[in-house]
Amino acid sequence: MVPCLHVATPLKDEKGDIVGIIEDFRDITELERVEINLAKAHYKLRQQNEKLKRLNNLQKIFLNVTSHELRTPMAAIKGYTDLLTMGTLGDLTDEQKEAISVMRRNIDRLDNLIKDILDISRLESGTLSIQPTKCDLLEIITEVLATMRFTAETKNIIIETNIDNNLPPIYADRDRIKQVLINLLGNAIKFSDSGSKIILSAKRDKNNVVIAVKDFGRGIPKNKQKKIFEPFYQVDSGMDRKFGGVGLGLAITRGIVEAHDGKITVESQVGKGSTFFVKLPLKPSFIKSEKRFSIFRDEKALPEISFRPSHSELEKLIDEMAGNAKK
Ligand SMILES: Nc1ncnc2c1ncn2[C@@H]1O[C@H](COP(=O)(O)OP(=O)(O)O)[C@@H](O)[C@H]1O
Ligand SMILES: [Mg+2]
């Protein structure tokens, strides 16, 4: 027996009267085979999809547990180093003080790294929460400058400001915007020579505010200006890692800005300096707090994180599908 498709077409004369029937029996063995194979492939894809969903949930649990379990002991260690530094637990020799300050610097470094890794994972999994309120940008800038002035002074760098007098309020997550400015100023300081200058400006541009962080440091080659926003990318990975940081700051910064419906761009010339522009709408049409969006834009820049089906798994699936189709 051969599966058939029976098609009957009426045959009409010039007047349109039916004078006969053309009958056509088509062998649909091939078609049926393709259909079965499609159903099989569909089933496999659904299974893969379920697996990915489970991995995604696992990632969320992992994030919650890690953020708690890594950061709580860190807070305790920090607290005790503070008590030791303040002399609350007794007098310390100069050598002990020096040792504690080295400990503290390294704890801060580790803490920042954990925070960055958690942020990038949250951005990637769509769980970075953005809590927007009406905020005064001048106030945010003043607080950020108070935090960053000390770091700038250690390199004898002056931060000049050029802020519009009547900046309108913005609708944004205060702490996250502070984080954006701290990242940009931190980079500007890090990649400038001692005694250099940084200009932080903010102005209204139609329905947006534009914040610019300008430095006169080493600059970024043209062909790297897009890549620096990818996670873990550093222009000179050997050198730049020594400065502290693993290349997550700008990816997080871009993620936060885009979650505010904003845009971040850079203009730079090697040896002359760089300016990073952050454009934030006064009234964002959306705040991507819960929406999942990929922080990795350049697939080639993807590090080997295996929350995605492995290459060999995919290859096996494709082989099976191809094999089924050939059977
Ligand atoms: N202001 C700047 N001047 C020169 N290079 C910069 C500047 N900001 C960023 N970069 C380059 O972009 C890379 C990525 O920046 P970022 O994501 O903040 O990572 P990190 O600061 O941890 O190295 C830096 O390692 C550096 O190579
Ligand atoms: Mg950085």
Side-chain angles (χ1 to χ4, degrees):
M1 270 242 291
V2 177
C4 280
L5 178 70
H6 179 201
V7 183
T9 321
L11 187 67
K12 294 176 182 172
D13 63 13
E14 304 95 67
K15 283 189 240 149
D17 292 335
I18 297 173
V19 291
I21 280 179
I22 301 174
E23 286 191 283
D24 182 13
F25 292 89
R26 270 177 221 162
D27 175 356
I28 54 162
T29 321
E30 202 44 44
L31 195 68
E32 236 186 32
R33 206 173 276 166
V34 170
E35 251 173 31
I36 291 167
N37 286 337
L38 264 179
K40 277 186 191 161
H42 181 74
Y43 175 73
K44 285 232 167 74
L45 279 176
R46 255 192 27 209
Q47 272 184 325
Q48 287 283 341
N49 199 15
E50 287 302 314
K51 196 171 160 194
L52 285 176
K53 268 191 207 152
R54 281 201 302 276
L55 280 173
N56 195 21
N57 279 341
L58 190 70
Q59 189 189 8
K60 280 183 188 155
I61 297 167
F62 166 81
L63 276 176
N64 284 337
V65 174
T66 348
S67 52
H68 187 255
E69 289 306 316
L70 285 175
R71 303 215 51 215
T72 314
M74 206 60 94
I77 301 172
K78 262 189 189 178
Y80 277 106
T81 51
D82 283 348
L83 287 180
L84 285 166
T85 316
M86 287 184 299
T88 320
L89 303 177
D91 289 336
L92 298 178
T93 63
D94 285 349
E95 249 179 342
Q96 285 168 332
K97 277 186 195 150
E98 177 57 26
I100 301 279
S101 96
V102 173
M103 267 168 68
R104 181 61 205 245
R105 269 205 308 279
N106 281 284
I107 292 163
D108 285 344
R109 193 168 152 190
L110 199 54
D111 199 28
N112 286 334
L113 179 64
I114 293 170
K115 270 195 242 162
D116 278 359
I117 289 178
L118 289 173
D119 276 352
I120 205 84
S121 314
R122 286 198 186 103
L123 276 166
E124 181 62 14
S125 67
T127 49
L128 183 97
S129 107
I130 302 275
Q131 277 148 5
T133 53
K134 194 169 155 185
C135 25
D136 179 352
L137 193 55
L138 183 62
E139 224 174 81
I140 295 179
I141 291 175
T142 314
E143 282 176 29
V144 168
L145 287 175
T147 322
M148 297 308 286
R149 279 235 154 89
F150 176 72
T151 322
E153 271 165 20
T154 57
K155 274 184 88 174
N156 207 11
I157 289 174
I158 303 165
I159 305 178
E160 275 182 19
T161 52
N162 183 6
I163 317 286
D164 251 10
N165 277 334
N166 355 313
L167 269 184
I170 55 167
Y171 190 65
D173 186 316
R174 222 185 127 78
D175 289 339
R176 292 290 176 191
I177 298 300
K178 272 174 82 172
Q179 189 181 353
V180 163
L181 297 182
I182 288 172
N183 276 346
L184 294 179
L185 283 172
N187 281 345
I189 296 169
K190 195 155 72 164
F191 299 109
S192 293
D193 287 337
S194 297
S196 186
K197 181 169 83 172
I198 291 165
I199 306 170
L200 173 65
S201 58
K203 63 174 192 303
R204 183 179 185 153
D205 176 18
K206 296 180 200 132
N207 292 324
N208 305 288
V209 287
V210 179
I211 308 163
V213 178
K214 186 180 175 67
D215 67 56
F216 300 87
R218 73 170 198 204
I220 303 152
K222 191 111 204 118
N223 62 345
K224 307 278 167 75
Q225 289 176 11
K226 238 175 110 183
K227 292 197 179 125
I228 53 169
F229 295 99
E230 295 290 337
F232 301 107
Y233 188 85
Q234 294 180 303
V235 172
D236 181 350
S237 51
M239 268 287 282
D240 293 355
R241 197 145 299 173
K242 285 202 197 94
F243 284 123
V246 292
L248 286 176
L250 282 179
I252 295 168
T253 301
R254 176 178 69 175
I256 295 173
V257 172
E258 291 183 357
H260 281 85
D261 199 12
K263 217 170 156 42
I264 181 163
T265 49
V266 64
E267 279 173 16
S268 181
Q269 243 184 307
V270 174
K272 295 243 164 89
S274 317
T275 310
F276 284 84
F277 298 93
V278 172
K279 190 172 177 177
L280 293 169
L282 298 180
K283 290 199 185 83
S285 57
F286 63 90
I287 295 273
K288 268 192 208 153
S289 59
E290 293 302 327
K291 197 164 173 283
R292 190 191 168 99
F293 69 110
S294 182
I295 194 73
F296 294 98
R297 301 299 152 86
D298 180 0
E299 282 294 314
K300 281 191 229 107
L302 258 176
E304 289 291 326
I305 304 174
S306 271
F307 281 126
R308 14 198 113 228
S310 68
H311 191 60
S312 59
E313 260 179 307
L314 273 179
E315 253 178 4
K316 214 170 114 206
L317 180 68
I318 292 167
D319 275 354
E320 273 173 30
M321 283 168 68
N324 280 340
K326 270 188 229 142
K327 261 182 217 152

